Amino acid sequence: MRKPLIAGNWKMFKNAAEARTFIYAFKQAVADVKDREAVLCVPYTDLWAAAEALKGTPIGLGSQNVHWEAQGAFTGEISVGMLKEIGCQYAVVGHSERRQYFGETDTTVNKRTLAALAGGLTPITCIGETLQEREANKTFAVLERQIKEGLKGLPNPTAVVIAYEPVWAIGTGKTATPAQAQEAHAFVRQEFAKLYGTAAQSVRILYGGSVKPDNMGQLMSQGDIDGGLVGGASLEAESFAKIVKFEKAAAVTK
Ligand code: PGA
């Protein structure tokens, strides 16, 4: 059984005071949630306050990046050890915004993913095609390359979390249809199985890209969608709590 995981990615939003206010409301709103995991991936400057505010709750804490070296002359980067010390359990790796604006490649994504796993931090490693790639029918080729290169050499493959985020659906209000998302997720699982065999049945694959309270239930009714990576709709406690508390839509046609 793959336990659903719903991670909020705050990107570069909210200061520490705003983080505290959010968490105060959010933890009450999801207090009765037991059968799924909720995680908040916050800016570095919020980590300390968020860790304090989350104490005693099962809500996970994550960063939005992590470096592969333990320490050194890497201005602007942060290590696994630093994140663990502050109370992080997760790190988003290779988000499309990092690939697009900060030169992240499959090679650096792989290094970050491996380092996180080695240090006991769960990487939420992001993959996904751009609109141009989808329109050129390259979706599957891109996903195949991102998986083969970005997720190679994992010592404990079931410990990674994969987030499939079609770039054209991020922050655009254009969600992939449940059928489009399921098709991509099934492909991702199949490619992961080529590398790691039966571990693919246990690995969690999250969908990201304009997830909202009103489309989460439909997405989660698909067999290979194991949770969500949520940007915009994770910034308000009420809306993110609704997403976490999704109910699977009953009969959704694929
Ligand atoms: P969005 O972002 O939910 O605002 O589309 C998702 C993400 O970038 O992880």
Side-chain angles (χ1 to χ4, degrees):
M1 264 306 278
R2 302 186 294 262
K3 193 174 188 181
L5 191 159
I6 304 97
N9 170 17
W10 284 0
K11 309 191 180 189
M12 201 171 72
F13 290 99
K14 291 194 192 297
N15 61 28
E18 290 163 340
R20 273 191 210 99
T21 305
F22 175 104
I23 291 169
Y24 182 76
F26 180 68
K27 66 184 178 188
Q28 297 184 45
V30 299
D32 52 342
V33 170
K34 301 262 181 287
D35 58 345
R36 53 198 75 178
E37 283 174 56
V39 175
L40 297 173
C41 300
V42 307
Y44 298 132
T45 47
D46 295 354
L47 284 171
W48 191 265
E52 285 289 314
L54 289 172
K55 256 189 202 141
T57 78
I59 302 164
L61 182 63
S63 65
Q64 298 170 16
N65 192 13
V66 61
H67 197 260
W68 53 89
E69 293 290 349
Q71 58 183 22
F74 302 105
T75 303
E77 290 284 336
I78 196 153
S79 73
V80 176
M82 292 166 181
L83 292 171
K84 292 269 294 184
E85 185 204 22
I86 215 166
C88 275
Q89 302 97 20
Y90 295 85
V92 175
V93 171
H95 189 278
S96 68
E97 285 147 21
R98 298 226 40 99
R99 294 180 189 254
Q100 190 178 346
Y101 306 126
F102 302 102
E104 205 75 66
T105 64
D106 292 330
T107 306
T108 56
V109 167
N110 186 242
K111 287 179 161 189
R112 294 182 198 277
T113 300
L114 288 174
L117 284 174
L121 205 57
T122 300
I124 302 175
T125 301
C126 304
I127 58 176
E129 81 287 359
T130 63
L131 182 60
Q132 221 183 4
E133 288 162 345
R134 177 161 281 260
E135 286 177 344
N137 284 323
K138 289 189 184 148
T139 298
F140 295 121
V142 168
L143 294 177
E144 186 185 340
R145 189 203 72 225
Q146 290 176 334
I147 293 165
K148 270 194 184 147
E149 296 302 318
L151 294 173
K152 67 184 173 196
L154 307 184
N156 44 351
T158 56
V160 75
V161 174
I162 303 173
Y164 166 64
E165 300 204 303
V167 180
W168 48 271
I170 294 179
T172 58
K174 260 199 219 168
T175 331
T177 65
Q180 277 175 325
Q182 167 58 26
E183 185 188 32
H185 280 232
F187 178 81
V188 170
R189 202 176 300 285
Q190 175 193 311
E191 289 304 306
F192 199 74
K194 286 186 190 162
L195 295 178
Y196 302 112
T198 53
Q201 288 312 311
S202 311
V203 78
R204 287 182 290 185
I205 308 175
L206 316 183
Y207 169 80
S210 297
V211 173
K212 305 280 180 251
D214 61 3
N215 58 26
M216 184 64 173
Q218 285 211 342
L219 289 160
M220 289 304 294
S221 69
Q222 304 294 316
D224 287 292
I225 301 183
D226 306 315
L229 182 57
V230 187
S234 74
L235 291 170
E236 272 186 31
E238 198 191 333
S239 104
F240 191 46
K242 277 190 191 150
I243 293 175
V244 170
K245 294 164 100 169
F246 72 86
E247 281 178 37
K248 281 190 188 181
V252 178
T253 47
K254 291 206 172 176

